[in-house]
């Protein structure tokens, strides 16, 4: 838990096993210093999706969607630190 690199590796493995291609990826650092990754992937039928992965404490935050991928990327960059409530 809380290991973004390991979580990203797990996602990559799942995408690869499913025939999903990674079209682009970007590493970034959020305002509070947390690492994050963004991906644009393409399914076997040509549909594209955006994924944003980061941590919140020892948990993971995954934002994903399809449609306007540029807008989804903009929204993902607005993630701000919060105090976990679990």
């Amino acid at each position: 838990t809380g290991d973004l690199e390991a979580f990203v590796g797990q996602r990559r493995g799942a995408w690869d096993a499913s025939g999903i291609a990674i079209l682009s990826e970007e590493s970034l650092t959020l305002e509070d210093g947390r690492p994050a990754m963004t991906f644009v992937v393409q399914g076997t039928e040509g549909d594209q999706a955006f994924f944003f992965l980061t941590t919140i404490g020892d948990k993971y935050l995954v934002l994903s969607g399809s449609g306007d991928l540029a807008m989804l990327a903009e929204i993902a960059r607005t993630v701000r630190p919060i105090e976990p409530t679990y």
Side-chain angles (χ1 to χ4, degrees), residues 12-50:
R12 285 178 190 272
W15 289 330
D16 186 47
S18 299
I20 295 172
I22 297 172
L23 300 180
S24 68
E25 65 182 86
E26 179 183 5
S27 296
L28 55 130
T29 302
L30 300 178
E31 184 179 289
D32 63 353
R34 282 181 295 155
M37 295 281 301
T38 64
F39 295 89
V40 174
V41 300
Q42 183 169 329
T44 56
E45 295 185 18
D47 48 324
Q48 293 183 1
F50 174 85

Side-chain angles (χ1 to χ4, degrees), residues 4 30 34-37 52-56 59-62 79:
L4 184 62
L30 300 178
R34 282 181 295 155
M37 295 281 301
F52 170 87
L53 312 172
T54 192
T55 57
I56 296 180
K59 306 291 183 195
Y60 300 105
L61 173 66
V62 178
V79 170

Side-chain angles (χ1 to χ4, degrees), residues 73-86:
E74 254 185 79
I75 292 167
R77 292 182 189 282
T78 67
V79 170
R80 301 288 183 257
I82 60 168
E83 289 297 317
T85 58
Y86 47 88

